[in-house]
Amino acid sequence: MDFFLQILVTGIVVGSIYGLVALGFVLIYRSSDVLNLANGEFVLIGGYVCLTIMTASNLPFIVALLITLVISVLLGFSVERLVIRPLKNAPVISIIMATIGLASLLGGLVHMVWGHRTRTFPQVFPSEPIHFGGLIITPVYLWSFITVLVLLVTFTLFFKFSKMGIAMRAVADDAKAAMSMGISVKNVLAVTWAIAAVVAAIGGTLLGMINGVGPIMATIGLTVLPVVILGGLDSIGGAIIGGFLIGIIQNLAGGYLDPMVGGGLKEVVPFIIVLLILLLKPYGLFGKGGAERV
Amino acid sequence: MKSILGKNLGNYRTSYRADMALLNSRNKKIGMVILLLVIFLLPMFASNYFIGLMTLCIISSIGAIGLNILTGFTGQISIGVGAFLGVGGYASAILTTSMGYSFWIALPLAGIITAIIGGLFGIPSLRLKGLYLAIATLAAQFVILFIIRRWVSLTNGTSGMVLQRPTIGDFALSSNTSYYYLSAIAFLLSAFYAINLVRSRTGRAFFAVRDRDMAAQIMGINLFKYKVMAFAISSFFIGIAGSLLAHYTMIVSPEFYEINVSIQYLAMILIGGLGSVFGSILGAFFITLLPVVLNIIVGSLSGILTDLSHILSAFEEFVFGAVIILFLIFEPGGLAHMWSNTVNYFKKWPFSY
Amino acid sequence: MLKVNNVEAVYSKMILALRGMSLEVPKGKIIALLGSNGAGKSTTLQSISGLLSSDGGQITDGTVEFEGETLNGKSPDAIVKSGIFHCMEGRHVFPHLTVEENLTAGAYTRKDRRNIQKDIDKIYGYFPKLRDLKKRPAGLLSGGEQQMLAIGRGLMAKPKLLLLDEPSLGIAPLLVEEIFENIKQINEEEGTSILVVEQNANVALKIADYGYIMENGRVVMQGEVDRLLEDDEVQNHYLGIGTEEDQKEVVYKSKQERMVW
Amino acid sequence: MKSKKFLSLIIGLVVLVFMAACGDDADGSGGSGDDQEVTIGTLADITGATGDTGTPYSEGQDHFFEYLESTGGIDGLDITHLSEDYAYEISDAQRIYQQYRDRDGVSAILGWGTGDTEALRQQVASDQIPFMSASYSENLKDLDESPYNFFVAASYSDQGRMVLEWIKDNHEGGDPTVALLYNDTGFGRSPIDDIKDYAEEIGVEIVDEQIIDLAATDAQSQLLNMEEHDPDYGIIQQTWAATTTILRDADTLDIDTQFIGLNQAVGEGLIDQAGDLSEGFMGVLTHALPYEDVPGMDEYIEYLDSQDMTVDDINMQHVAGWVVAKVMVEGVKNAADSTDGEITGEDVLAGLEAIEDLDLGGLAAPVTFTDELHAGTEEIRLGIVEDGQWKAITDYDSYR
């Protein structure tokens, strides 16, 4: 039983990071139908920037994080302005490819700026694990779990009640009608990208504290795709629940199935889920999808 | 129809057959002959190194043509080309090395096996569109590679398999030049087939599916058949490319077929021009040669920027991304469109209006 | 208040949709813009509200003036801020937003956030049905309810001029009556000027003060509603009075007459 | 007309390619004096997946060649060293290999990881170009399959065997139990079967195997599974990142297994990444640590001084790069002695196979190649992390 519970808890805390990164995908997809395959690089840049500020300036973590978020906002704005806006009427494949190109461009840039070495974060959270009865959690994981919940609540409220939030949903629903409301679609998209970059940077910072920051971190972008598909590309709650689900399933597969097949299933199982989900319920558990008109 | 100058000012076709002919103008015929001559005489003039590069380029061209049939012609996005190249490569390796077939049998079989597996993965395309299909193929990429890694008895797992260069009688195609000729022939056949496909009933059905699949269905096009067919035909080419590449490098291993290969192929057809056979070829050359060119540029700059050579790969990555984005924004038609613009410009020159 | 002077508009840089379109909306009036399919009515509204560009069109000649200010080249959101609201053809409610959220979205450009709730209540006053449905996603509403929502959403912006594009389209006749009565009521109570585009000339002329009839991208006839209603040609062609043969003949004749200018 | 500008840019690039492609044939002739010429190419991973260890390794090579030049080189021999980053991408490795072979006419190649080594081994065999890499994979020992591949350190399998030997000799109380932790790549799986065979041979029980991805963010499910078997030792065949993940999660889960890493899991980088978690971690030392006082360090320090560097700026991977270059140059020297004309790949092969008991001054175990064995040694040392530093706890020794 302990074994099961521990695996469950691990799944949930790892899943919370997945959910966080998945959130970045969903935010952008909702408002502009773009799947940002450069999300992993956003995460990476966020991690590097925060780490660099902290090691270079001795600023307290919170201040460093805030500066990182400001820089992420700028990153989001410029990506939207320079890459996405000029392609607003382009077909899906062009936009997928543009974000792949963006991933490559940013990845190269990161290499040129920060080099190749994995860097470790200065200690922010205590490393001593916390014990709940028989269960063990590392503080960083606990914090990422809390962060995810806070973000979930924040975004739910934001989209439900704030003017910008409603405008963003309006643009996602019907951009032209939103325009007729006097909503500036350009601004909304820019804000969306900025928020997505901010979320990614938070993810990068947390992930960096767990594993250090190195180029390999960008692979989280692909790792998390199954989460988004499972949860539904356009559902914020779906991203988070999908994150938890994938985290749990992955760890259960790792815990129970891996010994049977000789290991390695843990990393592939999410993609098997993707194939199943796409066959059975293409728009994910919580996605809205939509009928196509001829 | 003679003009005053006694010269035809245009191509007049007097029968459907003439209109449908592959080389429907004199210029095209001349161009074709020149192209063939260039391809076959190239080894006499170019260095061994250059021939090696050209071999890589034309093998990639075959794969790119394949992907363009699926993505450019039929509008089905695939981010799983890498894995399908792998299927072709492994099929060839297993057929020749483990089962002892000759390369000449293994090559077409590798294409057919890849076509079958590609067709299988094409089945979901009936329900999935755009982004979702792209992600399904991405998942296929991971799952296929996982199977290759795990099916040790068949694929020798992660350590890969060894292949031999093909032989004709006692003559092994082990030199750069001989393998270049082999690839060039395969390449010409592929290009010829693909150009014909565009003009066939099937090709037009593909275009209809791409432009509006539901409308195509209403027009009586069997969506299922054509979508799966597009996957299969496309995978056939990719399988052939995979097999050729495997015999060229004489080894297959899962690391050959990672996701970045899929991305490179997508970049080829996008930069070359979606839906254009000629564009696929241009794109394949462009993407294959891009690092070589950058290398030269960086090399010539190394006097000024000594550190740059150390981050050359990162710089390559950066430029690769930038080139993709620039093309998408400024020339979505790709190199093929640029080419036809240029050609048209000179055709009308000096009266460009 | 609104003056459209000789506007010429094209789509995709080549398809000419308006060729010298002119009209005028005085303050506090309801103006009907009638015409058959493809006459350029919607394009006219889009050139006023700036939405033309989102469909790949642009104004190539002429001016649109609102309260003495030129609107040419202004972005849609700036135009909304200056007091013109465009209710698009086909309603275009936000399907995943609730009724109330749709109304809130309509008030996007307003600065007086405090009064919004009060105004929402007022909209419910005009369209009581919406009050019962306020928590429901707008996508699940019937066509008529969606149309009410679309108009209500427009009012939330407190526009000086409301552009309505085919409010009767795809709606049960009984509801059409009701909606047009609401429009009239809004016009009277709020003093909002309204420019309504309709194919259903009957209902439109019933509430309008003045009417324009468009064909081929320009106005072919205009006048006080009473005069238009009396006009034979209008009766035959747009109001569906008279026999079928009559109509054909008249149309043929009138077109010929009109083409000469 | 931005597309026009874009077009001209592209055309310019294309012209450049062709100019470059045509111009390359020219060089290769007309060297200086009567010196024999030889070119050695390096495939380095600087920006790729294994860049963290690949960079110091390739720098070590660069530095050795620079050192050689600064000391006047070798009489009668003109060595050109080329190095290019292939970013751990096979297609890039393939392209650079062709360039080395056809354009630069290299006589030998210094490779790097399992990926490029495996991918090119057939081609180097048919092109007869010796290829010496840091992939210490046992299957490269098979000279029928890989006749031109070399490596200078003990193979992963030999390392694993030696670790088992040490466990058997040093375990106190009862029979030792061992788990294997590796990743699902050619590199990860390379020694696993050999380790299992050898364990059976000497009577050490392998109780569990776990696969942990190179980029894993957590390894808890695997470690929990491992813990079910409660092994005394865990042999890790991973890179630093995954090893750090293992050590961290083992610490979180209070697992008291003694982990022992094979050489890719070992090095200063691990201590950087894992911090305190690395205390007490054991591992295979294939080369000297820069701060060790061994005779071979003298020339090394001499060079570092000339570059305003100290031993603190380098690490064990750097030493490994230095050593591999040194061994290669030794082979080239032998080749030059035995032939007067052009030094071909075959000559270098023979030159390398002539190396016998090459003393590296303690930088690594002495190296011997023969025409039957291309693995330079079977000897390794074992080390442990104490006070944030690696310390050797055994001498160079082989399992035999």
Side-chain angles (χ1 to χ4, degrees):
Chain A
M1 198 57 200
D2 251 12
F3 178 79
F4 174 75
L5 278 181
Q6 183 65 44
I7 280 191
L8 198 65
V9 168
T10 312
I12 291 173
V13 289
V14 172
S16 64
I17 300 256
Y18 289 168
L20 193 59
V21 179
L23 204 57
F25 276 113
V26 170
L27 285 171
I28 288 176
Y29 183 80
R30 283 168 61 94
S31 50
S32 53
D33 281 356
V34 173
L35 185 69
N36 177 21
L37 290 176
N39 199 17
E41 276 67 23
F42 280 25
V43 172
L44 180 62
I45 291 177
Y48 264 126
V49 168
C50 189
L51 178 103
T52 311
I53 295 172
M54 276 187 80
T55 46
S57 67
N58 277 330
L59 286 171
F61 170 66
I62 289 298
V63 180
L65 183 64
L66 285 177
I67 299 174
T68 308
L69 298 189
V70 171
I71 293 173
S72 300
V73 166
L74 296 179
L75 174 72
F77 278 152
S78 32
V79 164
E80 193 276 335
R81 182 70 194 84
L82 298 175
V83 181
I84 304 302
R85 199 178 295 178
L87 289 173
K88 68 173 189 257
N89 294 321
V92 182
I93 180 167
S94 300
I95 297 177
I96 294 185
M97 218 38 221
T99 62
I100 289 178
L102 185 64
S104 183
L105 186 147
L106 292 177
L109 202 64
V110 165
H111 263 302
M112 290 195 266
V113 175
W114 280 287
H116 47 82
R117 281 186 62 187
T118 303
R119 303 176 188 216
T120 39
F121 252 94
Q123 188 98 24
V124 176
F125 302 117
S127 63
E128 198 57 32
I130 306 167
H131 291 253
F132 292 106
L135 299 177
I136 311 163
I137 300 179
T138 326
V140 185
Y141 276 126
L142 192 66
W143 276 103
S144 57
F145 181 68
I146 293 170
T147 312
V148 168
L149 291 188
V150 169
L151 284 180
L152 178 63
V153 173
T154 314
F155 278 117
T156 312
L157 295 177
F158 173 74
F159 282 111
K160 197 80 196 144
F161 298 112
S162 80
K163 181 174 152 181
M164 195 42 149
I166 291 177
M168 281 164 84
R169 288 167 62 207
V171 170
D173 258 11
D174 189 332
K176 197 178 167 198
M179 224 189 259
S180 79
M181 300 297 104
I183 297 171
S184 162
V185 176
K186 285 178 202 163
N187 293 351
V188 165
L189 286 188
V191 170
T192 310
W193 277 81
I195 295 180
V198 162
V199 171
I202 296 175
T205 306
L206 287 170
L207 209 56
M209 286 177 196
I210 296 169
N211 269 18
V213 186
I216 213 166
M217 193 170 172
T219 51
I220 189 84
L222 284 182
T223 315
V224 148
L225 266 184
V227 171
V228 205
I229 297 299
L230 180 67
L233 271 169
D234 49 8
S235 162
I236 285 178
I240 304 221
I241 295 170
F244 289 138
L245 279 179
I246 292 277
I248 292 167
I249 295 173
Q250 207 182 26
N251 273 278
L252 287 180
Y256 291 100
L257 296 179
D258 260 0
M260 285 184 243
V261 299
L265 209 54
K266 196 175 174 182
E267 317 297 333
V268 191
V269 106
F271 286 97
I272 296 173
I273 295 176
V274 165
L275 284 180
L276 289 178
I277 279 283
L278 287 177
L279 286 176
L280 302 174
K281 209 170 176 322
Y283 298 106
L285 296 180
F286 306 98
K288 287 174 293 221
E292 192 198 12
R293 284 187 176 205
V294 180
Chain B
M1 269 248 226
K2 295 269 177 183
S3 73
I4 320 163
L5 297 168
K7 179 180 154 197
N8 271 340
L9 286 177
N11 297 306
Y12 299 99
R13 285 149 207 160
T14 46
S15 71
Y16 283 114
R17 178 180 262 279
D19 193 40
M20 290 294 286
L22 190 58
L23 302 168
N24 48 20
S25 74
R26 204 164 132 218
N27 281 351
K28 277 192 188 163
K29 278 178 198 149
I30 295 171
M32 194 66 196
V33 171
I34 292 176
L35 187 70
L36 285 176
L37 276 178
V38 167
I39 289 177
F40 282 99
L41 296 181
L42 188 67
M44 294 182 186
F45 307 108
S47 70
N48 213 8
Y49 169 57
F50 192 67
I51 293 300
L53 275 183
M54 286 300 112
T55 310
L56 287 180
C57 287
I58 53 183
I59 295 178
S60 310
S61 300
I62 299 174
I65 290 173
L67 180 61
N68 219 337
I69 289 176
L70 182 65
T71 304
F73 293 7
T74 325
Q76 314 291 305
I77 305 168
S78 167
I79 318 188
V81 194
F84 289 110
L85 272 181
V87 172
Y90 267 94
S92 207
I94 292 162
L95 287 167
T96 56
T97 307
S98 322
M99 304 168 86
Y101 287 102
S102 132
F103 165 81
W104 307 103
I105 298 172
L107 178 70
L109 274 181
I112 291 167
I113 291 170
T114 317
I116 292 170
I117 295 181
L120 276 180
F121 276 94
I123 292 173
S125 68
L126 205 58
R127 285 193 62 185
L128 300 174
K129 288 197 185 123
L131 223 46
Y132 288 90
L133 182 65
I135 294 167
T137 56
L138 183 71
Q141 161 94 33
F142 284 97
V143 174
I144 289 178
L145 280 190
F146 178 72
I147 294 171
I148 289 179
R149 282 205 188 93
R150 273 319 149 77
W151 200 343
V152 181
S153 57
L154 187 72
T155 63
N156 203 17
T158 47
S159 32
M161 296 177 77
V162 167
L163 299 87
Q164 302 304 326
R165 285 281 172 89
T167 52
I168 304 175
D170 285 338
F171 176 68
L173 302 179
S174 49
S175 72
N176 268 3
T177 310
S178 55
Y179 207 82
Y180 166 79
Y181 279 122
L182 169 69
S183 317
I185 291 167
F187 161 72
L188 287 174
L189 289 175
S190 312
F192 185 73
Y193 176 84
I195 292 171
N196 263 312
L197 182 72
V198 180
R199 300 142 13 93
S200 72
R201 192 185 161 77
T202 314
R204 289 194 300 272
F206 284 170
F207 287 129
V209 170
R210 173 189 67 188
D211 293 340
R212 203 84 214 224
D213 59 355
M214 243 182 241
Q217 194 171 22
I218 292 163
M219 277 158 55
I221 290 172
N222 183 340
L223 262 195
F224 183 73
K225 178 178 147 197
Y226 281 105
K227 278 189 174 175
V228 171
M229 207 159 122
F231 267 92
I233 293 178
S234 149
S235 303
F236 179 81
F237 283 105
I238 293 165
I240 296 284
S243 170
L244 283 173
L245 200 63
H247 285 276
Y248 183 61
T249 59
M250 293 181 282
I251 204 143
V252 287
S253 118
E255 305 195 21
F256 273 51
Y257 308 111
E258 300 282 356
I259 177 83
N260 56 308
V261 177
S262 305
I263 290 172
Q264 283 197 340
Y265 274 88
L266 269 180
M268 286 174 197
I269 61 165
L270 262 167
I271 287 176
L274 282 178
S276 154
V277 176
F278 185 52
S280 322
I281 300 165
L282 289 177
F285 275 71
F286 186 91
I287 292 292
T288 315
L289 295 178
L290 182 67
V292 181
V293 179
L294 284 179
N295 213 325
I296 295 161
I297 294 174
V298 170
S300 60
L301 288 180
S302 62
I304 316 160
L305 300 158
T306 36
D307 275 355
L308 208 57
S309 61
H310 250 276
I311 51 165
L312 180 62
S313 261
F315 184 63
E316 255 174 54
E317 213 183 331
F318 177 83
V319 173
F320 177 74
V323 165
I324 291 176
I325 294 173
L326 289 176
F327 260 97
L328 288 171
I329 294 176
F330 295 113
E331 187 51 280
L335 289 168
H337 188 234
M338 277 186 178
W339 174 267
S340 64
N341 275 354
T342 318
V343 168
N344 286 340
Y345 178 78
F346 283 111
K347 250 187 198 164
K348 291 171 187 160
W349 190 84
F351 308 109
S352 48
Y353 284 98
Chain C
M1 178 152 93
L2 177 82
K3 267 194 194 140
V4 176
N5 302 320
N6 234 350
V7 163
E8 193 177 275
V10 296
Y11 287 103
S12 311
K13 296 190 178 166
M14 46 176 90
I15 305 159
L16 194 60
L18 296 182
R19 36 190 106 196
M21 174 69 196
S22 299
L23 64 72
E24 215 171 304
V25 182
K27 203 171 166 60
K29 300 281 185 206
I30 300 184
I31 307 300
L33 180 57
L34 311 174
S36 56
N37 242 341
K41 303 178 307 264
S42 294
T43 311
T44 308
L45 293 195
Q46 292 196 332
S47 345
I48 298 171
S49 67
L51 288 177
L52 198 60
S53 62
S54 77
D55 283 349
Q58 65 190 96
I59 296 177
T60 46
D61 199 9
T63 56
V64 180
E65 265 175 53
F66 183 64
E67 296 185 319
E69 225 181 305
T70 312
L71 297 182
N72 295 37
K74 275 197 177 179
S75 66
D77 46 299
I79 293 173
V80 174
K81 276 177 198 146
S82 68
I84 298 181
F85 195 96
H86 182 172
C87 292
M88 289 190 291
E89 181 180 348
R91 306 181 285 274
H92 282 278
V93 295
F94 301 116
H96 297 111
L97 270 59
T98 64
V99 168
E100 190 144 328
E101 283 168 347
N102 263 281
L103 293 176
T104 317
Y108 182 80
T109 49
R110 278 171 55 177
K111 296 273 175 268
D112 53 334
R113 314 293 301 162
R114 224 171 301 154
N115 301 329
I116 286 180
Q117 195 52 49
K118 207 176 75 202
D119 287 336
I120 288 179
D121 283 333
K122 199 148 105 198
I123 305 291
Y124 291 152
Y126 286 122
F127 306 105
K129 259 188 200 147
L130 294 182
R131 189 193 300 276
D132 308 331
L133 301 168
K134 65 180 177 187
K135 294 278 176 231
R136 185 172 298 186
L140 303 178
L141 269 49
S142 75
E145 290 158 357
Q146 287 190 1
Q147 188 61 60
M148 292 175 187
L149 179 57
I151 295 172
R153 189 175 61 176
L155 289 176
M156 287 300 295
K158 291 232 159 190
K160 296 172 199 155
L161 170 65
L162 195 58
L163 311 177
L164 298 176
D165 198 348
E166 303 269 5
S168 73
L169 194 75
I171 293 171
L174 258 172
L175 266 177
V176 170
E177 298 265 327
E178 190 185 327
I179 288 175
F180 274 83
E181 274 159 30
N182 288 328
I183 294 174
K184 183 80 190 163
Q185 190 189 355
I186 290 163
N187 166 256
E188 280 162 3
E189 290 177 15
E190 308 282 324
T192 314
S193 319
I194 292 172
L195 173 59
V196 57
V197 156
E198 260 305 336
Q199 283 195 64
N200 186 343
N202 269 322
V203 287
L205 290 180
K206 214 172 274 176
I207 61 162
D209 300 304
Y210 195 85
Y212 290 86
I213 296 179
M214 271 188 92
E215 230 164 80
N216 285 328
R218 69 171 77 92
V219 170
V220 289
M221 189 185 280
Q222 55 174 295
E224 298 291 330
V225 168
D226 308 338
R227 244 200 59 212
L228 285 178
L229 284 171
E230 282 163 17
D231 189 283
D232 280 351
E233 204 178 295
V234 174
Q235 279 194 357
N236 283 328
H237 194 191
Y238 297 101
L239 301 177
I241 304 166
T243 66
E244 215 168 283
E245 280 136 54
D246 261 2
Q247 248 184 44
K248 271 185 194 156
E249 199 183 314
V250 169
V251 170
Y252 178 69
K253 197 182 84 194
S254 64
K255 275 202 173 153
Q256 275 203 325
E257 272 171 13
R258 274 188 230 122
M259 293 315 275
V260 191
W261 60 280
Chain D
M1 283 273 88
K2 47 192 173 180
S3 62
K4 274 247 177 77
K5 271 186 203 154
F6 194 51
L7 178 73
S8 43
L9 185 81
I10 300 293
I11 292 177
L13 284 176
V14 171
V15 169
L16 244 171
V17 185
F18 279 89
M19 272 164 47
C22 302
D24 281 326
D25 254 357
D27 56 23
S29 56
S32 56
D34 300 327
D35 286 357
Q36 282 175 285
E37 284 181 37
V38 68
T39 307
I40 296 169
T42 285
L43 285 168
D45 178 16
I46 293 171
T47 54
T50 59
D52 53 354
T53 49
T55 306
Y57 183 80
S58 82
E59 273 173 11
Q61 296 174 16
D62 294 346
H63 286 171
F64 180 78
F65 284 105
E66 281 163 27
Y67 164 74
L68 197 66
E69 204 165 315
S70 70
T71 58
I74 295 161
D75 278 345
L77 202 55
D78 186 2
I79 300 180
T80 312
H81 175 237
L82 306 168
S83 179
E84 217 168 292
D85 175 16
Y86 77 104
Y88 215 82
E89 294 205 5
I90 307 299
S91 55
D92 281 5
Q94 174 68 34
R95 185 179 49 74
I96 296 169
Y97 171 71
Q98 290 189 3
Q99 177 188 319
Y100 280 163
R101 179 190 63 195
D102 300 332
R103 193 182 78 182
D104 305 320
V106 299
S107 311
I109 290 179
L110 293 167
W112 164 239
T114 307
D116 52 304
T117 309
E118 285 283 335
L120 297 173
R121 70 186 155 104
Q122 274 288 96
Q123 290 180 71
V124 297
S126 77
D127 299 329
Q128 301 184 317
I129 299 175
F131 190 98
M132 193 180 281
S133 65
S135 169
Y136 308 146
S137 182
E138 181 93 352
N139 62 351
L140 294 176
K141 275 186 173 177
D142 181 353
L143 292 194
D144 291 333
E145 277 219 340
S146 326
Y148 277 78
N149 285 88
F150 288 83
F151 53 88
V152 296
S155 72
Y156 299 134
S157 301
D158 287 342
Q159 296 176 20
R161 292 184 184 119
M162 182 60 213
V163 169
L164 288 176
E165 194 76 29
W166 182 88
I167 289 173
K168 194 186 173 204
D169 293 346
N170 292 274
H171 184 72
E172 286 158 13
D175 290 335
T177 52
V178 177
L180 306 176
L181 301 98
Y182 52 92
N183 52 66
D184 205 0
T185 65
F187 151 69
R189 287 183 172 270
S190 156
I192 300 306
D193 288 339
D194 289 331
I195 291 179
K196 286 195 276 194
D197 290 347
Y198 191 70
E200 204 175 305
E201 199 178 313
I202 63 168
V204 173
E205 197 190 350
I206 305 285
V207 290
D208 194 31
E209 292 172 48
Q210 292 297 336
I211 291 180
I212 292 153
D213 195 73
L214 281 169
T217 46
D218 85 286
Q220 293 202 3
S221 70
Q222 289 97 331
L223 290 175
L224 283 167
N225 267 319
M226 185 190 86
E227 189 59 2
E228 302 272 290
H229 304 279
D230 194 20
D232 300 316
Y233 302 92
I235 299 179
I236 298 179
Q237 166 72 336
Q238 293 280 16
T239 55
W240 293 335
T243 308
T244 305
T245 306
I246 293 170
L247 293 179
R248 187 197 61 232
D249 282 344
D251 179 63
T252 307
L253 298 170
D254 275 338
I255 290 170
D256 57 358
T257 300
Q258 170 66 50
F259 290 103
I260 306 175
L262 302 190
N263 74 302
Q264 295 291 355
V266 172
E268 295 81 347
L270 179 82
I271 300 177
D272 289 348
Q273 287 184 27
D276 291 345
L277 295 168
S278 59
E279 283 297 302
F281 175 59
M282 288 177 64
V284 168
L285 302 176
T286 48
H287 292 84
L289 296 154
Y291 42 81
E292 282 184 298
D293 186 17
V294 290
M297 269 329 275
D298 295 346
E299 55 177 18
Y300 212 141
I301 290 172
E302 184 191 324
Y303 172 75
L304 290 175
D305 280 347
S306 73
Q307 299 295 308
D308 283 332
M309 287 168 79
T310 69
V311 289
D312 295 333
D313 296 322
I314 62 168
N315 56 28
M316 200 167 72
Q317 282 297 338
H318 196 279
V319 177
W322 177 281
V323 165
V324 80
K326 197 174 162 76
V327 172
M328 180 58 89
V329 168
E330 195 66 27
V332 170
K333 229 190 290 180
N334 290 345
D337 288 343
S338 63
T339 175
D340 289 332
E342 193 192 347
I343 299 177
T344 63
E346 251 179 305
D347 298 329
V348 178
L349 178 81
L352 285 168
E353 285 174 348
I355 292 177
E356 197 181 340
D357 228 0
L358 175 66
D359 182 20
L360 294 162
L363 289 180
V367 169
T368 303
F369 293 124
T370 67
D371 56 3
E372 285 163 3
L373 184 67
H374 285 180
T377 180
E378 289 174 353
E379 295 183 2
I380 55 155
R381 295 183 299 170
L382 279 174
I384 190 165
V385 181
E386 268 174 21
D387 305 324
Q389 244 192 1
W390 282 99
K391 287 199 174 60
I393 53 171
T394 69
D395 259 337
Y396 285 106
D397 196 5
S398 129
Y399 65 95
R400 284 191 219 270

